[in-house]
Structures are given as C-alpha cells and as structure tokens.
Amino acid sequence: MRFACPLALMFALLAASPVLAQSPTSEAYTYRASDGRTIDADRGVIYVLENRDDPGSRQIPLAWMRLRSPADSPSAPIVYLAGGPGGSGIATLDGPRQPMFLALLEVADVIVFDQRGVGASGALPRCQAEAPFDASQPLTEVTYTAYAAQTFETCVAEWHGQGIDLSGYTTEEAADDVADLAASLGERRVNLMGISYGTHLAFSILRRHPELVDRVVLASVEGPDQTVKLPAAVDAAFERIDAAVPDLELVELMHRVHQAYAQPQPLTIHGPNGETATFYADAFSLQMMAGFIAKNPDGVSDLALFYSALDQGAGDAIAPFIYGAFLAEPMAFSGMTEATDIASGVSLERRRLLAEQAPSSLLGLAVNFPMPQLVDALPGQDLGDAFRAPVLWNGPALILSGDLDIRTPMDEQATAIAGLSGAQTILVHNGGHDLFEAHPDVPGILVEFFSGRPVTIERLDLPAPVLEQP
C-alpha cells in the first residue's frame, strides 16, 4: 500500500515521540508514483548521536526511503542531498523532481532522506518571536537584524532548555550521517546527487569520506566557503538577465529604486473597510524580496513589475507584499537551518570582500539574510577555515550551472569546483536555480552519467525570460 504522505504512520509517530529506540528499523512498502506506476521500496530509520564529539549525546533519528531499481545489475545507489539547509529529501520525492528520480531507477536504487533536524529526522521545535517586527520603527537592515538577533537569542535559550545540542547541527555531522546511513544499508559505495545546499553537503562528504563516493552530480553549486554569496557575483548574474531580455534594463531600474529608498519611505496598506496603516521601509526589504522573486527566470517578469511600480511612485501597490513578508507575522527560526549555516560560517577573506562589495552592489548583504548578519550568534559553532578550504577529488563529477542563477551565481560555482579534477560541466543557458526540473533532457543526461556512459553534451538551452505587461 501507499500512504497519502510518505511521512505518515511510522515517520509521523517517530517525529512526535520523545522516546528514541536504540536500533535501526525498516520495512518494505510499495511506492505509487504520480503517473500510477508502483515501485518496490523500503523505508526506515537509523539513529545517530546528535553530537559525535560528545559520547553522552542523545540519539536522534535519521529517516530514509529507498526506491528499488528493476535493473538486473544496478550501479551503486544514488543518494539525493536536498537543498536548504532544511529541505526534506523525503518530501522532494513527491514534488516536481519525481520524474527525475523515477528515470534514475533505470540504472540504480534512489535513496532520499531527511537531514538531521528536518522533517521525520527529529525536526527541531519551530521557535518564533513573541511579536511581529515593531512597525512603529523603520524597516531597515539594522533594525531587522536587531529583531532577528534578539529572536534567535531567545530561541537558542529555548532549544537548550529542551535538551537540544545545537553544536550537533553542522554540515560535517550531516556528512557523517550519510556515511552511517550507507553503512547501515550495507553499501560500501554510493553515488551522490545534490542541489544548492545539497552540493555544500556533498563537498563535505567528499572531504571526509572520499572512499565512499563513486560518482557525483552537483547542480547550482555552493562551495565550502560560499554560504554567503559575493555581491559582485550576484550583480554579474543580474547583468546576464539584462542581456537575455531585450530592453529590460532591470539593473538600472533596481539601482534607481534603491537610491530612491536609500532612506526609509512611507508605505501604506489599506484594509477591507477603508482603514489604513502606514509603515516605513528602505531598500533592504526590496533587496531581500528580489533575491527570492528572481530565483528562477520565470520570476524576472514579476520582479520587473515590482520595481516598475515602485519607480512610478506606486509604492502602496507593493506595500501589502512587503508588509506580509516582514511585518504581518512574528519571525520564526527552525534551529537546524541557522545553526548549520552559522557553523559553515564565512572566512575572514570573504568577510573582507563582502564589506568591500556590498555598499555599491545591487542586493548588498540582503540575499542570504540572516547570514552574514548572524554569523557570530553561536560562539564556538564555526567549523573553521579547514572546513571552508577547497575540496580536492578526482572522481567523475557532473556539474549543472544556470547562467541566470542569482542564488548560487555561476561565477561562484566555477571557484567551488576548481578542485574537482574529474568534473565536466553543462551550462543551462537561461537557467536559474532549480535546474533538476528546468529542462526535459536533464533526467536522461543523469541516467547516462550514472550508468558510466559518456556524457558529451555541454550546453542545454532554455527560452529567455518573457516580460509580461501589467
């Protein structure tokens, strides 16, 4: 049978229970894909120490699923590394990347799992501020960072009071989780497939457990010292967006609006009964929203409309979106995401470059908020420069990069993969951040790569973004 949600029953009970068993559990089940086909599968849980440096640390669950390949001689299983940090690999299985996973069954089993502190793998209790951001003060980077820092400090105290050891939520611990998972499944070798933060995790696996990995696919790469992206690299991605769309001139438009909002400006929201409320915001909130709206090229038109309205003095038309994103609800933290990013940290050289580039750049330090703003919020959490050093690995690697990706800019990706001597790259022209579902040829290319057959293609082309009229 197939449950309505892969996290149902065993996983839901596990996530809700404070009592942890001491041995792995697993069961066979039948997975039903959205196209109606049924697939033999297994799912289960292993238990790992929350902090491997503390022998007395509590055990936490690591939930996994394995789709079985029908191939007579499948290659090493493919372990999917979700993005985030904080994305659920198990939930991804039922999302838009499902056709890719199903295609890969032609050559290997596919293993998905929830990283520690996520979903069925002992998700940490969500913590939120006592109240929303105070709308009586202007919304700026300084005020919003102060609000975030106070909220996070309160949340850290709450998590510690619940017996949670935040020092265990790092990319190195997550890398060791993958090695433990492989061992528990009896696998001496695995293939890795990651996107965004999943590639950041893959680098740590390659450094700590190089003997475990056969082949690796990395999409939208985030290197060991790239938790916070360089503003100049983000600018370069926006310049490519401008070049891809005739007469867009988005960069000039955004700079013009940011200049107009160099100081907090009034924005008014209107209620259903004619009531109004005015708050003040500068460019920081606009910069943060831009980083999400244009994550993929299909958001470029929306971003252009967003900024055009502001440029034409129609800020009140945009005010509900800003209010909803920053002032309507109390700020919330997941714990795992923030602790993991803080542990990955920012090198001193990158901090210097951030300070140098941010003031004149398009999005400044907004694109990765609350990093680097909270980078020092957990003293002792930083994994150090050895973690952030380049990774050297000579196994087969396939890299997919989108030239319009502003979340993990292509310029940064080239630096990240410099130590992968066996890497071959595929440029997804007009591609954004979510590359696994961006082009119909991607699943077939991955099948070729993981089968060990040569991949000769070097470029995939997507249509350029199309501007919609308001």
Side-chain angles (χ1 to χ4, degrees):
M1 65 176 295
R2 177 180 185 269
F3 301 112
C5 171
L7 300 182
L9 224 66
M10 179 178 69
F11 287 168
L13 292 173
L14 171 66
S17 174
V19 180
L20 301 180
Q22 300 298 311
S23 58
T25 63
S26 63
E27 66 176 6
Y29 79 111
T30 299
Y31 177 80
R32 186 177 299 278
S34 58
D35 62 5
R37 81 177 92 169
T38 58
I39 298 165
D40 291 336
D42 305 287
R43 62 182 178 182
V45 177
I46 66 168
Y47 298 88
V48 297
L49 290 179
E50 187 171 45
N51 181 354
R52 289 180 173 86
D53 290 333
D54 177 8
S57 179
R58 67 174 186 153
Q59 290 190 345
I60 58 174
L62 197 72
W64 56 270
M65 293 186 178
R66 179 174 190 159
L67 302 186
R68 293 287 183 177
S69 169
D72 293 335
S73 300
S75 60
I78 300 166
V79 178
Y80 175 73
L81 307 175
S88 166
I90 293 172
T92 304
L93 186 61
D94 283 337
R97 293 173 192 166
Q98 187 187 88
M100 175 188 69
F101 293 130
L102 299 184
L104 290 170
L105 293 176
E106 177 184 329
V107 294
D109 292 357
V110 172
I111 298 171
V112 296
F113 70 102
D114 283 355
Q115 295 162 25
R116 55 173 49 218
V118 174
S121 293
L124 302 188
R126 184 174 179 270
C127 176
Q128 69 178 34
E130 292 183 358
F133 179 84
D134 182 3
S136 68
Q137 61 177 328
L139 175 60
T140 68
E141 182 173 5
V142 171
T143 60
Y144 203 62
T145 297
Y147 173 60
Q150 179 58 56
T151 301
F152 190 64
E153 181 180 357
T154 301
C155 289
V156 168
E158 287 187 14
W159 289 318
H160 284 169
Q162 296 164 355
I164 295 167
D165 185 353
L166 288 176
S167 64
Y169 294 89
T170 73
T171 297
E172 288 190 340
E173 291 280 10
D176 292 348
D177 288 345
V178 173
D180 285 350
L181 176 59
S184 74
L185 297 177
E187 300 294 343
R188 294 179 59 252
R189 302 275 285 180
V190 297
N191 293 303
L192 300 178
M193 181 175 66
I195 187 167
S196 195
Y197 168 76
T199 70
H200 188 79
L201 173 55
F203 281 115
S204 189
I205 297 169
L206 293 175
R207 190 196 307 278
R208 297 173 70 81
H209 306 283
E211 75 291 341
L212 177 64
V213 183
D214 189 4
R215 292 172 165 261
V216 60
V217 167
L218 306 177
S220 304
V221 177
E222 179 183 291
D225 192 20
Q226 295 175 342
T227 296
V228 179
K229 314 307 180 290
L230 291 179
V234 177
D235 282 359
F238 272 104
E239 294 285 355
R240 288 190 289 271
I241 290 173
D242 256 0
V245 185
D247 303 320
L248 177 59
E249 298 181 349
L250 181 61
V251 171
E252 180 181 339
L253 170 64
M254 293 174 69
H255 274 305
R256 189 164 61 244
V257 170
H258 293 165
Q259 183 60 40
Y261 280 76
Q263 299 299 321
Q265 300 298 310
L267 295 165
T268 301
I269 56 174
H270 300 265
N273 299 315
E275 68 273 22
T276 63
T278 298
F279 64 97
Y280 286 76
D282 70 2
F284 179 69
S285 58
L286 312 179
Q287 293 169 314
M288 275 190 67
M289 294 186 73
F292 289 100
I293 295 173
K295 176 184 178 184
N296 291 305
D298 59 5
V300 168
S301 182
D302 289 338
L303 187 65
L305 292 173
F306 181 92
Y307 271 87
S308 293
L310 293 166
D311 190 45
Q312 294 166 16
D316 287 358
I318 301 301
F321 299 101
I322 300 173
Y323 186 89
F326 297 94
L327 292 93
E329 300 291 338
M331 178 177 284
F333 289 113
S334 72
M336 176 273 185
T337 297
E338 298 78 30
T340 300
D341 276 346
I342 291 171
S344 292
V346 184
S347 67
L348 290 178
E349 172 61 14
R350 182 159 285 246
R351 292 191 192 204
R352 183 190 69 79
L353 291 171
L354 290 169
E356 177 183 289
Q357 296 176 12
S360 61
S361 67
L362 199 58
L363 299 190
L365 298 179
V367 72
N368 293 121
F369 187 88
M371 290 285 284
Q373 290 83 358
L374 299 186
V375 68
D376 297 317
L378 286 175
Q381 185 80 355
D382 191 294
L383 291 172
D385 286 343
F387 170 82
R388 291 184 287 270
V391 172
L392 305 179
W393 192 69
N394 60 7
L398 183 66
I399 314 298
L400 282 76
S401 299
D403 55 1
L404 305 188
D405 182 2
I406 66 169
R407 300 297 301 179
T408 52
M410 190 171 64
D411 314 70
E412 293 265 67
Q413 296 186 46
T415 301
I417 66 172
L420 306 183
S421 58
Q424 62 182 110
T425 61
I426 297 178
L427 170 66
V428 183
H429 181 53
N430 292 326
H433 191 66
D434 295 323
L435 294 180
F436 282 149
E437 61 263 42
H439 194 285
D441 290 351
V442 167
I445 291 171
L446 300 188
V447 168
E448 292 294 303
F449 177 76
F450 283 123
S451 71
R453 296 189 289 269
V455 174
T456 58
I457 192 165
E458 297 180 351
R459 170 169 164 157
L460 296 171
D461 288 291
L462 291 170
V466 176
L467 295 183
E468 297 180 4
Q469 297 303 314

